[in-house]
């Protein structure tokens, strides 16, 4: 079983739609959680950290459910520029706090 | 401010050869990480260096090795190349922040290694 599992998609949505991505992780000792964004043939970039209390950054909302070992990302009012692969990332369990464990990513395509 | 830089951008080698990939971290960052992203797979953690020391290693064979220099730049060496080593190799750097559990990692553009 993979340590971090994501629905690969692709999610094809029109501009303005709301889309939600889910992610599960297997190691309950994980301590840190993130969403990264990776554009085609580019490097990953940190989108946001995820906290137990949930957090919001503009159109993006992230939630963490430690009991269910589940992380989510909600994107409201999708823009064409949101088209990318979204990577769910956990850290802090096996191997130390700075060893990032990446999911395989969920691809989002926003169309006009 | 310059981001993480990596060289070369592309590298083509044949089976059995050795490859050397280089990374320069963001100025002031002391930690460097290496990840492998093979086609269709997620990023896999390879190595973590901090202050010149190897701090952690992923599930890769010993022919993957590296080092960090006094100026915090880093090299990843892959010996006895195999076809399945073909991948994008990403380097990231971070700065330790007091009170933060996991440091934010900033990625470079990667080196695309092709093994023929």
């Amino acid at each position: 079983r993979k340590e971090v599992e994501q629905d690969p998609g692709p999610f094809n949505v029109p501009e303005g739609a709301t889309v939600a991505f889910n992610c599960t992780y297997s190691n309950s000792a994980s301590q840190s959680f993130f969403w990264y964004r990776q554009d085609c043939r580019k490097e990953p970039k940190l989108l946001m950290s995820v906290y137990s209390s949930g957090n919001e950054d503009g159109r993006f909302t992230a939630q963490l459910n430690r009991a269910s070992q589940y992380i989510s990302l909600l994107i409201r009012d999708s823009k064409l520029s949101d088209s990318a692969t979204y990577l769910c990332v956990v850290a802090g369990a096996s191997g130390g706090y700075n060893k990032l464990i990446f999911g395989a990513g969920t691809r989002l395509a926003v169309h006009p | 401010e310059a981001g993480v830089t990596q060289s070369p951008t592309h590298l083509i080698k044949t089976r059995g050869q050795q490859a050397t990939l280089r990374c320069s971290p963001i100025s002031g960052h002391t930690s460097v990480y290496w990840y492998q992203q093979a086609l269709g797979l997620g990023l896999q953690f390879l190595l973590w260096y901090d202050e010149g020391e190897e701090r952690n290693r992923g599930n890769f064979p010993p022919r993957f090795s590296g080092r960090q220099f006094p100026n915090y730049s880093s090299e990843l060496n892959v010996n006895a190349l195999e076809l399945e080593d073909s991948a994008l190799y990403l380097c990231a750097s971070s700065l330790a922040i007091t009170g933060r559990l996991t440091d934010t990692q900033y990625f470079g553009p990667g080196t695309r290694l092709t093994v023929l």
Side-chain angles (χ1 to χ4, degrees):
Chain A
R1 183 185 172 191
K2 293 181 183 176
E3 286 194 67
V4 180
E5 303 226 39
Q6 296 182 248
D7 181 343
F11 284 63
N12 293 300
V13 302
E15 274 186 289
T18 295
V19 61
F21 303 140
N22 303 318
C23 163
T24 57
Y25 59 96
S26 61
N27 196 325
S28 59
S30 299
Q31 296 289 329
S32 304
F33 309 89
F34 309 91
W35 284 101
Y36 273 73
R37 170 195 168 127
Q38 187 172 26
D39 291 288
C40 189
R41 302 184 78 81
K42 297 280 193 177
E43 71 272 23
K45 292 185 179 176
L46 178 66
L47 181 65
M48 59 198 303
S49 301
V50 189
Y51 305 111
S52 296
S53 53
N55 48 302
E56 189 173 306
D57 182 2
R59 298 181 293 107
F60 299 84
T61 301
Q63 296 275 356
L64 167 64
N65 184 321
R66 283 186 183 269
S68 302
Q69 295 177 208
Y70 171 96
I71 306 163
S72 65
L73 177 68
L74 183 77
I75 305 175
R76 291 182 300 278
D77 189 22
S78 298
K79 311 289 185 193
L80 294 176
S81 56
D82 294 335
S83 297
T85 297
Y86 290 83
L87 304 170
C88 178
V89 183
V90 305
S94 56
Y97 295 115
N98 282 328
K99 176 184 173 183
L100 301 184
I101 308 297
F102 285 79
T106 298
R107 199 151 58 90
L108 171 65
V110 182
H111 57 82
Chain B
E1 181 185 301
V4 177
T5 58
Q6 292 186 243
S7 63
T9 305
H10 294 88
L11 188 58
I12 300 175
K13 294 284 185 178
T14 55
R15 276 171 53 187
Q17 285 189 313
Q18 182 202 35
T20 299
L21 288 62
R22 296 180 177 82
C23 171
S24 291
I26 292 171
S27 177
H29 286 193
T30 59
S31 281
V32 170
Y33 313 81
W34 288 95
Y35 293 84
Q36 181 196 66
Q37 188 172 30
L39 194 63
L41 298 177
L43 279 83
Q44 302 291 319
F45 171 80
L46 259 169
L47 289 160
W48 167 18
Y49 291 97
D50 180 61
E51 298 282 0
E53 303 269 339
E54 182 180 300
R55 299 296 184 191
N56 208 333
R57 184 183 178 84
N59 293 327
F60 282 84
R63 55 191 188 81
F64 286 84
S65 65
R67 52 182 173 164
Q68 186 178 32
F69 298 100
N71 67 353
Y72 303 113
S73 67
S74 176
E75 254 181 23
L76 174 69
N77 294 292
V78 188
N79 293 321
L81 285 165
E82 300 178 3
L83 296 178
E84 52 265 33
D85 296 334
S86 295
L88 180 67
Y89 289 83
L90 290 157
C91 172
S93 73
S94 72
L95 175 65
I97 302 290
T98 303
R100 181 183 291 169
L101 202 58
T102 300
D103 304 321
T104 299
Q105 295 183 23
Y106 299 88
F107 285 81
T111 292
R112 190 162 296 279
L113 173 64
T114 302
V115 183
L116 302 175

